[in-house]
Amino acid sequence: GIETCAAGLATGPHPAVSLAGSRLGWPAGRLALPAGADSAVLQRVAIGGRRIAAIGTLTGASGPVPFAVVSVNGGASWRETALPVPSGPAGVTALAAAGDGFVAAGTWGSAGIQDVIMWWSPDGLTWHKVLPAGNWLSGPGAQQISGLSVSGSVLSGVGYTAAPAGQHPILLLARVH
């Protein structure tokens, strides 16, 4: 099986994933450039069974756009999929396996406002966006969830909110189904 997987990679303008403990070895596997992208990089990766999901950002004519790639066969082949976002710049900050699926966090917004956005996928192939409500997840300043973990049916996230009044840590707890 796959023991280790790394993202945060690009080979030239192409996204890349490295797998250890698999028949693919440790060297980075270059993936196809997503449609409409001038460049792309994968920034987070998670493994759930034989499924591997990686999320990142592509850059094209419309600016930075978050996207995901998924392998349903342990890294032998990959399929690209979009992460839906409201209008405005968006990026990815965290990813975790959740049961047979995945949950991800990111940021979106305009100048002076950077709110938390989250995505969930039952299989890594189809992603749904959630704009979480609650103190310190949206509003003036910058908010970010930078780490996610799933234990049983509990999703934990850590991050920060930064506004003119100061910076504060965020602890996010949610139930996953």
Side-chain angles (χ1 to χ4, degrees):
I2 299 166
E3 296 171 9
T4 307
C5 192
L9 301 171
T11 58
H14 294 263
V17 174
S18 291
L19 306 173
S22 74
R23 61 180 173 75
L24 298 177
W26 186 236
R30 186 173 115 160
L31 305 180
L33 197 59
D38 296 325
S39 64
V41 63
L42 293 170
Q43 297 158 288
R44 303 285 186 266
V45 65
I47 301 170
R50 293 209 27 93
R51 292 181 187 264
I52 306 166
I55 59 174
T57 306
L58 64 85
T59 303
S62 61
V65 177
F67 77 107
V69 294
V70 65
S71 175
V72 298
N73 54 15
S77 63
W78 296 87
R79 181 176 156 193
E80 171 206 337
T81 185
L83 292 177
V85 294
S87 62
V92 296
T93 57
L95 176 66
D100 293 334
F102 299 91
V103 62
T107 58
W108 74 280
S110 57
I113 298 176
Q114 184 180 26
D115 292 340
V116 171
I117 184 171
M118 298 193 73
W119 299 274
W120 65 272
S121 174
D123 54 12
L125 299 169
T126 304
W127 292 83
H128 308 276
K129 78 173 185 256
V130 176
L131 300 175
N135 292 338
W136 299 348
L137 296 175
S138 63
Q143 293 79 33
Q144 178 174 308
I145 299 296
S146 52
L148 290 171
S149 176
V150 177
S151 178
S153 64
V154 177
L155 169 69
S156 301
V158 295
Y160 67 87
T161 183
Q167 184 168 334
H168 303 281
I170 295 174
L171 174 61
L172 171 75
L173 296 173
R175 188 157 309 276
V176 293
H177 304 284

mmCIF file of all heavy atoms in Angstrom, residues 97-129:
data_model
loop_
_atom_site.group_PDB
_atom_site.id
_atom_site.type_symbol
_atom_site.label_atom_id
_atom_site.label_comp_id
_atom_site.label_asym_id
_atom_site.label_seq_id
_atom_site.Cartn_x
_atom_site.Cartn_y
_atom_site.Cartn_z
ATOM 1 N N ALA A 97 -8.589 13.358 5.061
ATOM 2 C CA ALA A 97 -9.482 12.259 4.707
ATOM 3 C C ALA A 97 -10.556 12.163 5.784
ATOM 4 O O ALA A 97 -10.283 12.381 6.965
ATOM 5 C CB ALA A 97 -8.700 10.946 4.625
ATOM 6 N N ALA A 98 -11.787 11.865 5.350
ATOM 7 C CA ALA A 98 -12.919 11.735 6.272
ATOM 8 C C ALA A 98 -13.743 10.538 5.835
ATOM 9 O O ALA A 98 -14.526 10.644 4.899
ATOM 10 C CB ALA A 98 -13.762 13.008 6.268
ATOM 11 N N GLY A 99 -13.548 9.401 6.495
ATOM 12 C CA GLY A 99 -14.231 8.187 6.063
ATOM 13 C C GLY A 99 -13.775 7.817 4.668
ATOM 14 O O GLY A 99 -12.589 7.745 4.391
ATOM 15 N N ASP A 100 -14.723 7.627 3.750
ATOM 16 C CA ASP A 100 -14.383 7.327 2.360
ATOM 17 C C ASP A 100 -14.170 8.589 1.541
ATOM 18 O O ASP A 100 -13.858 8.516 0.364
ATOM 19 C CB ASP A 100 -15.501 6.501 1.715
ATOM 20 C CG ASP A 100 -15.610 5.113 2.319
ATOM 21 O OD1 ASP A 100 -14.587 4.602 2.836
ATOM 22 O OD2 ASP A 100 -16.708 4.540 2.278
ATOM 23 N N GLY A 101 -14.368 9.771 2.149
ATOM 24 C CA GLY A 101 -14.279 11.026 1.417
ATOM 25 C C GLY A 101 -13.205 11.930 1.965
ATOM 26 O O GLY A 101 -12.266 11.493 2.646
ATOM 27 N N PHE A 102 -13.370 13.218 1.683
ATOM 28 C CA PHE A 102 -12.370 14.208 2.052
ATOM 29 C C PHE A 102 -13.050 15.507 2.456
ATOM 30 O O PHE A 102 -14.164 15.793 2.027
ATOM 31 C CB PHE A 102 -11.430 14.476 0.874
ATOM 32 C CG PHE A 102 -10.690 13.258 0.427
ATOM 33 C CD1 PHE A 102 -11.205 12.437 -0.563
ATOM 34 C CD2 PHE A 102 -9.487 12.898 1.017
ATOM 35 C CE1 PHE A 102 -10.534 11.289 -0.970
ATOM 36 C CE2 PHE A 102 -8.805 11.754 0.625
ATOM 37 C CZ PHE A 102 -9.334 10.945 -0.374
ATOM 38 N N VAL A 103 -12.369 16.300 3.269
ATOM 39 C CA VAL A 103 -12.822 17.636 3.637
ATOM 40 C C VAL A 103 -11.622 18.571 3.479
ATOM 41 O O VAL A 103 -10.483 18.193 3.779
ATOM 42 C CB VAL A 103 -13.415 17.675 5.062
ATOM 43 C CG1 VAL A 103 -12.386 17.308 6.106
ATOM 44 C CG2 VAL A 103 -14.047 19.008 5.360
ATOM 45 N N ALA A 104 -11.878 19.770 2.957
ATOM 46 C CA ALA A 104 -10.806 20.731 2.694
ATOM 47 C C ALA A 104 -11.217 22.110 3.195
ATOM 48 O O ALA A 104 -12.402 22.406 3.349
ATOM 49 C CB ALA A 104 -10.514 20.789 1.195
ATOM 50 N N ALA A 105 -10.218 22.943 3.434
ATOM 51 C CA ALA A 105 -10.455 24.325 3.845
ATOM 52 C C ALA A 105 -9.644 25.239 2.949
ATOM 53 O O ALA A 105 -8.616 24.846 2.389
ATOM 54 C CB ALA A 105 -10.057 24.531 5.308
ATOM 55 N N GLY A 106 -10.121 26.465 2.838
ATOM 56 C CA GLY A 106 -9.423 27.465 2.053
ATOM 57 C C GLY A 106 -9.861 28.848 2.445
ATOM 58 O O GLY A 106 -10.563 29.034 3.445
ATOM 59 N N THR A 107 -9.439 29.823 1.656
ATOM 60 C CA THR A 107 -9.815 31.204 1.882
ATOM 61 C C THR A 107 -10.342 31.785 0.580
ATOM 62 O O THR A 107 -9.977 31.353 -0.505
ATOM 63 C CB THR A 107 -8.620 32.051 2.354
ATOM 64 O OG1 THR A 107 -7.589 31.981 1.372
ATOM 65 C CG2 THR A 107 -8.088 31.556 3.678
ATOM 66 N N TRP A 108 -11.218 32.774 0.718
ATOM 67 C CA TRP A 108 -11.707 33.509 -0.452
ATOM 68 C C TRP A 108 -12.102 34.907 -0.009
ATOM 69 O O TRP A 108 -12.362 35.149 1.171
ATOM 70 C CB TRP A 108 -12.869 32.790 -1.127
ATOM 71 C CG TRP A 108 -14.155 32.889 -0.365
ATOM 72 C CD1 TRP A 108 -14.528 32.142 0.712
ATOM 73 C CD2 TRP A 108 -15.214 33.806 -0.582
ATOM 74 N NE1 TRP A 108 -15.751 32.532 1.172
ATOM 75 C CE2 TRP A 108 -16.201 33.556 0.384
ATOM 76 C CE3 TRP A 108 -15.432 34.832 -1.502
ATOM 77 C CZ2 TRP A 108 -17.386 34.296 0.459
ATOM 78 C CZ3 TRP A 108 -16.618 35.555 -1.433
ATOM 79 C CH2 TRP A 108 -17.573 35.279 -0.461
ATOM 80 N N GLY A 109 -12.127 35.823 -0.949
ATOM 81 C CA GLY A 109 -12.565 37.176 -0.631
ATOM 82 C C GLY A 109 -11.864 38.213 -1.456
ATOM 83 O O GLY A 109 -11.088 37.907 -2.359
ATOM 84 N N SER A 110 -12.148 39.448 -1.122
ATOM 85 C CA SER A 110 -11.569 40.583 -1.822
ATOM 86 C C SER A 110 -10.626 41.319 -0.888
ATOM 87 O O SER A 110 -10.390 40.894 0.241
ATOM 88 C CB SER A 110 -12.695 41.493 -2.317
ATOM 89 O OG SER A 110 -13.486 41.893 -1.220
ATOM 90 N N ALA A 111 -10.144 42.460 -1.341
ATOM 91 C CA ALA A 111 -9.173 43.232 -0.561
ATOM 92 C C ALA A 111 -9.719 43.535 0.832
ATOM 93 O O ALA A 111 -10.831 44.018 0.991
ATOM 94 C CB ALA A 111 -8.848 44.524 -1.285
ATOM 95 N N GLY A 112 -8.931 43.229 1.851
ATOM 96 C CA GLY A 112 -9.302 43.522 3.224
ATOM 97 C C GLY A 112 -10.172 42.485 3.899
ATOM 98 O O GLY A 112 -10.358 42.512 5.102
ATOM 99 N N ILE A 113 -10.752 41.560 3.131
ATOM 100 C CA ILE A 113 -11.594 40.509 3.710
ATOM 101 C C ILE A 113 -11.170 39.175 3.115
ATOM 102 O O ILE A 113 -11.163 38.994 1.907
ATOM 103 C CB ILE A 113 -13.089 40.748 3.435
ATOM 104 C CG1 ILE A 113 -13.545 42.056 4.074
ATOM 105 C CG2 ILE A 113 -13.921 39.579 3.952
ATOM 106 C CD1 ILE A 113 -14.980 42.426 3.780
ATOM 107 N N GLN A 114 -10.795 38.250 3.977
ATOM 108 C CA GLN A 114 -10.394 36.911 3.567
ATOM 109 C C GLN A 114 -11.132 35.941 4.479
ATOM 110 O O GLN A 114 -10.752 35.763 5.633
ATOM 111 C CB GLN A 114 -8.880 36.757 3.696
ATOM 112 C CG GLN A 114 -8.349 35.444 3.204
ATOM 113 C CD GLN A 114 -6.835 35.376 3.359
ATOM 114 O OE1 GLN A 114 -6.237 36.030 4.200
ATOM 115 N NE2 GLN A 114 -6.225 34.544 2.544
ATOM 116 N N ASP A 115 -12.211 35.345 3.973
ATOM 117 C CA ASP A 115 -13.060 34.470 4.777
ATOM 118 C C ASP A 115 -12.704 33.007 4.569
ATOM 119 O O ASP A 115 -12.111 32.616 3.562
ATOM 120 C CB ASP A 115 -14.533 34.676 4.401
ATOM 121 C CG ASP A 115 -15.043 36.046 4.805
ATOM 122 O OD1 ASP A 115 -14.432 36.680 5.681
ATOM 123 O OD2 ASP A 115 -16.058 36.478 4.240
ATOM 124 N N VAL A 116 -13.113 32.172 5.519
ATOM 125 C CA VAL A 116 -12.922 30.723 5.420
ATOM 126 C C VAL A 116 -13.970 30.151 4.477
ATOM 127 O O VAL A 116 -15.146 30.508 4.525
ATOM 128 C CB VAL A 116 -13.041 30.059 6.811
ATOM 129 C CG1 VAL A 116 -13.067 28.538 6.702
ATOM 130 C CG2 VAL A 116 -11.899 30.521 7.713
ATOM 131 N N ILE A 117 -13.541 29.257 3.606
ATOM 132 C CA ILE A 117 -14.425 28.457 2.772
ATOM 133 C C ILE A 117 -14.020 27.006 2.992
ATOM 134 O O ILE A 117 -12.845 26.714 3.233
ATOM 135 C CB ILE A 117 -14.339 28.852 1.283
ATOM 136 C CG1 ILE A 117 -15.358 28.060 0.451
ATOM 137 C CG2 ILE A 117 -12.935 28.691 0.744
ATOM 138 C CD1 ILE A 117 -15.488 28.531 -0.996
ATOM 139 N N MET A 118 -14.985 26.118 2.983
ATOM 140 C CA MET A 118 -14.684 24.696 3.155
ATOM 141 C C MET A 118 -15.353 23.918 2.035
ATOM 142 O O MET A 118 -16.337 24.363 1.445
ATOM 143 C CB MET A 118 -15.143 24.211 4.523
ATOM 144 C CG MET A 118 -14.414 24.956 5.639
ATOM 145 S SD MET A 118 -14.596 24.238 7.256
ATOM 146 C CE MET A 118 -13.554 22.800 7.085
ATOM 147 N N TRP A 119 -14.781 22.758 1.744
ATOM 148 C CA TRP A 119 -15.330 21.852 0.742
ATOM 149 C C TRP A 119 -15.399 20.455 1.339
ATOM 150 O O TRP A 119 -14.572 20.082 2.164
ATOM 151 C CB TRP A 119 -14.437 21.794 -0.493
ATOM 152 C CG TRP A 119 -14.264 23.089 -1.204
ATOM 153 C CD1 TRP A 119 -15.077 23.619 -2.167
ATOM 154 C CD2 TRP A 119 -13.185 24.022 -1.062
ATOM 155 N NE1 TRP A 119 -14.584 24.813 -2.614
ATOM 156 C CE2 TRP A 119 -13.422 25.086 -1.945
ATOM 157 C CE3 TRP A 119 -12.048 24.056 -0.253
ATOM 158 C CZ2 TRP A 119 -12.557 26.172 -2.071
ATOM 159 C CZ3 TRP A 119 -11.194 25.134 -0.363
ATOM 160 C CH2 TRP A 119 -11.439 26.175 -1.257
ATOM 161 N N TRP A 120 -16.372 19.667 0.906
ATOM 162 C CA TRP A 120 -16.421 18.261 1.286
ATOM 163 C C TRP A 120 -16.711 17.442 0.038
ATOM 164 O O TRP A 120 -17.323 17.928 -0.927
ATOM 165 C CB TRP A 120 -17.436 17.989 2.387
ATOM 166 C CG TRP A 120 -18.862 18.249 1.996
ATOM 167 C CD1 TRP A 120 -19.542 19.426 2.091
ATOM 168 C CD2 TRP A 120 -19.781 17.300 1.441
ATOM 169 N NE1 TRP A 120 -20.815 19.285 1.631
ATOM 170 C CE2 TRP A 120 -20.997 17.986 1.226
ATOM 171 C CE3 TRP A 120 -19.685 15.952 1.113
ATOM 172 C CZ2 TRP A 120 -22.108 17.349 0.680
ATOM 173 C CZ3 TRP A 120 -20.807 15.332 0.575
ATOM 174 C CH2 TRP A 120 -21.991 16.025 0.376
ATOM 175 N N SER A 121 -16.216 16.243 0.048
ATOM 176 C CA SER A 121 -16.403 15.333 -1.070
ATOM 177 C C SER A 121 -16.625 13.928 -0.529
ATOM 178 O O SER A 121 -15.854 13.463 0.308
ATOM 179 C CB SER A 121 -15.169 15.328 -1.977
ATOM 180 O OG SER A 121 -15.299 14.336 -2.972
ATOM 181 N N PRO A 122 -17.653 13.228 -1.016
ATOM 182 C CA PRO A 122 -17.864 11.857 -0.558
ATOM 183 C C PRO A 122 -16.857 10.873 -1.148
ATOM 184 O O PRO A 122 -16.687 9.780 -0.633
ATOM 185 C CB PRO A 122 -19.280 11.536 -1.043
ATOM 186 C CG PRO A 122 -19.477 12.420 -2.226
ATOM 187 C CD PRO A 122 -18.696 13.680 -1.936
ATOM 188 N N ASP A 123 -16.163 11.295 -2.231
ATOM 189 C CA ASP A 123 -15.297 10.352 -2.944
ATOM 190 C C ASP A 123 -14.049 10.966 -3.560
ATOM 191 O O ASP A 123 -13.259 10.278 -4.188
ATOM 192 C CB ASP A 123 -16.099 9.659 -4.045
ATOM 193 C CG ASP A 123 -16.778 10.640 -4.988
ATOM 194 O OD1 ASP A 123 -16.464 11.858 -4.942
ATOM 195 O OD2 ASP A 123 -17.631 10.203 -5.774
ATOM 196 N N GLY A 124 -13.862 12.269 -3.430
ATOM 197 C CA GLY A 124 -12.741 12.955 -4.055
ATOM 198 C C GLY A 124 -13.012 13.374 -5.486
ATOM 199 O O GLY A 124 -12.239 14.120 -6.072
ATOM 200 N N LEU A 125 -14.099 12.898 -6.063
ATOM 201 C CA LEU A 125 -14.428 13.206 -7.453
ATOM 202 C C LEU A 125 -15.388 14.381 -7.588
ATOM 203 O O LEU A 125 -15.324 15.143 -8.541
ATOM 204 C CB LEU A 125 -15.034 11.970 -8.139
ATOM 205 C CG LEU A 125 -14.123 10.745 -8.196
ATOM 206 C CD1 LEU A 125 -14.896 9.519 -8.633
ATOM 207 C CD2 LEU A 125 -12.947 11.002 -9.128
ATOM 208 N N THR A 126 -16.291 14.534 -6.642
ATOM 209 C CA THR A 126 -17.272 15.619 -6.642
ATOM 210 C C THR A 126 -17.108 16.409 -5.354
ATOM 211 O O THR A 126 -17.095 15.823 -4.274
ATOM 212 C CB THR A 126 -18.707 15.059 -6.718
ATOM 213 O OG1 THR A 126 -18.818 14.235 -7.876
ATOM 214 C CG2 THR A 126 -19.717 16.175 -6.785
ATOM 215 N N TRP A 127 -17.000 17.742 -5.466
ATOM 216 C CA TRP A 127 -16.760 18.597 -4.311
ATOM 217 C C TRP A 127 -17.917 19.575 -4.140
ATOM 218 O O TRP A 127 -18.453 20.085 -5.118
ATOM 219 C CB TRP A 127 -15.448 19.362 -4.475
ATOM 220 C CG TRP A 127 -14.259 18.453 -4.411
ATOM 221 C CD1 TRP A 127 -13.736 17.709 -5.431
ATOM 222 C CD2 TRP A 127 -13.463 18.169 -3.267
ATOM 223 N NE1 TRP A 127 -12.653 16.992 -4.986
ATOM 224 C CE2 TRP A 127 -12.464 17.254 -3.660
ATOM 225 C CE3 TRP A 127 -13.489 18.601 -1.943
ATOM 226 C CZ2 TRP A 127 -11.506 16.772 -2.783
ATOM 227 C CZ3 TRP A 127 -12.531 18.120 -1.065
ATOM 228 C CH2 TRP A 127 -11.548 17.217 -1.483
ATOM 229 N N HIS A 128 -18.269 19.847 -2.886
ATOM 230 C CA HIS A 128 -19.343 20.773 -2.527
ATOM 231 C C HIS A 128 -18.761 21.838 -1.604
ATOM 232 O O HIS A 128 -17.989 21.521 -0.706
ATOM 233 C CB HIS A 128 -20.472 20.027 -1.812
ATOM 234 C CG HIS A 128 -20.945 18.828 -2.565
ATOM 235 N ND1 HIS A 128 -21.867 18.895 -3.567
ATOM 236 C CD2 HIS A 128 -20.571 17.528 -2.473
ATOM 237 C CE1 HIS A 128 -22.073 17.687 -4.061
ATOM 238 N NE2 HIS A 128 -21.295 16.842 -3.417
ATOM 239 N N LYS A 129 -19.158 23.100 -1.827
ATOM 240 C CA LYS A 129 -18.630 24.175 -0.987
ATOM 241 C C LYS A 129 -19.555 24.447 0.187
ATOM 242 O O LYS A 129 -20.767 24.241 0.107
ATOM 243 C CB LYS A 129 -18.405 25.442 -1.798
ATOM 244 C CG LYS A 129 -19.649 26.227 -2.103
ATOM 245 C CD LYS A 129 -19.292 27.556 -2.759
ATOM 246 C CE LYS A 129 -20.532 28.382 -2.944
ATOM 247 N NZ LYS A 129 -21.045 28.431 -4.266
#
